Amino acid sequence: MKVKTMQEFMAEGKQPEILFWVGSAGSYDDRAKKISRAFVKLLNQANVDFAVLGQEESSTGDVAKRTGNEFLFQMQAMMNIELLNGYEIKRIVTCDPHSFNTLKNEYPGLGGTYDVMHHTQFLKELLDQGRLTLQGETYKGKRITFHDPCYLGRANTVYEAPREVLAKTNAELVEMKRHKTTALCCGAGGGQMFKEPEKGDMDINVLRTKDALETNPNIIATGCPYCNTMMTDGIKAHEKEDSVTVLDVAELLANSI
């Protein structure tokens, strides 16, 4: 796969069109790595001049902030901002809504102002510009329901971009009863990904997967690596692994090329 680092771009005296912020999950989690690869495949297909930070990339500090460690968050953020500003980064695209939210809304107050996009927004842009074209037959006749990630939807009101991208696959899009502004969390936000759930009648991810299964889908589409993990676990809890798959929007698009 063709992936250049910012160091390589600087050595050539060039600036990339975008910086792909991979994020912790996209870098380390085996399932989320597949989402990163699918997105890179799409970027290469569209001839996008992009770079990654590689080993220079660190956590945005999202988890530290959500779990109450403001000091650690600011340390992590300031290190990243110094690096990004040193490279004169203008535009950042990420597959992780948590990174998207933090870079977009919390970095400007610490001196890091960038044009930050979620990968579904950028993919929509590429499709609208004709830089990316789909065959549109792979998922024809399939039923897809989209789960809105909290930090993409309710926190940043990005609802249409992922749906417009999914519509290009020619699949039948079916909405859950709770969607867009009323969507239910997958249960991983706010640092919950890294702890056991509190006691209750049902885990949130199992309840949210129940919402999705009520639409009788073939595929549950997500736009977040954490949501992907939680919904996949939910599918296992409902014993539906044989009939329903969980895929990121980028994976659905990459499979349609």
Side-chain angles (χ1 to χ4, degrees):
M1 297 188 96
K2 253 187 356 195
V3 183
K4 285 168 74 174
T5 63
M6 272 308 299
Q7 280 184 333
E8 289 172 302
F9 268 92
M10 290 301 279
E12 294 170 10
K14 294 179 184 173
Q15 271 285 10
E17 184 181 339
I18 62 158
L19 174 77
F20 171 31
W21 186 278
V22 185
S24 310
S27 301
Y28 295 111
D29 180 78
D30 284 343
R31 176 65 188 87
K33 282 181 198 173
K34 293 178 181 175
I35 299 169
S36 302
R37 289 194 190 102
F39 185 55
V40 166
K41 180 182 170 184
L42 293 167
L43 292 176
N44 284 334
Q45 185 77 21
N47 291 317
V48 176
D49 224 10
F50 75 98
V52 295
L53 288 172
Q55 292 187 334
E56 291 184 289
E57 185 182 303
S58 177
S59 166
T60 57
D62 163 74
V63 175
K65 188 174 181 73
R66 304 296 155 233
T67 52
N69 195 336
E70 181 66 23
F71 176 69
L72 177 58
F73 161 71
Q74 292 205 14
M75 266 175 50
Q76 290 177 307
M78 294 302 284
M79 279 166 55
N80 287 327
I81 288 166
E82 193 178 332
L83 183 69
L84 293 167
N85 289 351
Y87 280 133
E88 297 179 354
I89 297 296
K90 301 287 187 290
R91 203 172 200 207
I92 302 173
V93 180
T94 180
C95 297
D96 176 12
H98 298 257
S99 297
F100 167 71
N101 179 68
T102 305
L103 292 164
K104 181 174 182 281
N105 300 320
E106 288 159 355
Y107 275 32
L110 298 168
T113 305
Y114 318 102
D115 173 18
V116 186
M117 298 184 85
H118 186 248
H119 71 306
T120 57
Q121 292 176 304
F122 191 63
L123 290 170
K124 179 187 177 303
E125 188 178 291
L126 294 175
L127 287 163
D128 288 347
Q129 291 171 353
R131 295 173 68 183
L132 200 58
T133 50
L134 308 184
Q135 289 171 348
E137 298 300 319
T138 312
Y139 296 104
K140 205 169 184 180
K142 299 285 185 188
R143 287 169 65 87
I144 297 178
T145 190
F146 178 69
H147 162 72
D148 289 281
C150 294
Y151 281 96
L152 184 65
R154 286 180 297 164
N156 287 285
T157 62
V158 178
Y159 297 115
E160 300 311 323
R163 287 172 171 83
E164 286 178 35
V165 170
L166 287 171
K168 301 279 188 188
T169 64
N170 284 334
E172 183 189 349
L173 295 185
V174 285
E175 293 286 8
M176 297 180 223
K177 196 178 283 184
R178 292 185 269 202
H179 67 285
K180 294 187 178 178
T181 54
T182 60
L184 183 70
C185 174
C186 74
Q192 299 293 314
M193 180 79 183
F194 305 101
K195 60 182 277 297
E196 291 302 313
E198 279 83 16
K199 287 177 183 171
D201 296 333
M202 191 185 291
D203 288 357
I204 292 177
N205 66 313
V206 177
L207 179 60
R208 184 52 173 163
T209 307
K210 186 167 175 278
D211 283 357
L213 292 174
E214 282 171 4
T215 68
N216 194 27
N218 302 109
I219 296 158
I220 299 171
T222 66
C224 170
Y226 295 132
C227 294
N228 195 301
T229 298
M230 299 303 269
M231 300 302 274
T232 301
D233 286 351
I235 290 293
K236 288 173 186 168
H238 287 283
E239 298 180 349
K240 292 285 186 183
E241 302 109 299
D242 295 340
S243 56
V244 183
T245 50
V246 182
L247 291 169
D248 188 87
V249 174
E251 293 178 303
L252 284 157
L253 233 62
N255 294 342
S256 299
I257 287 179

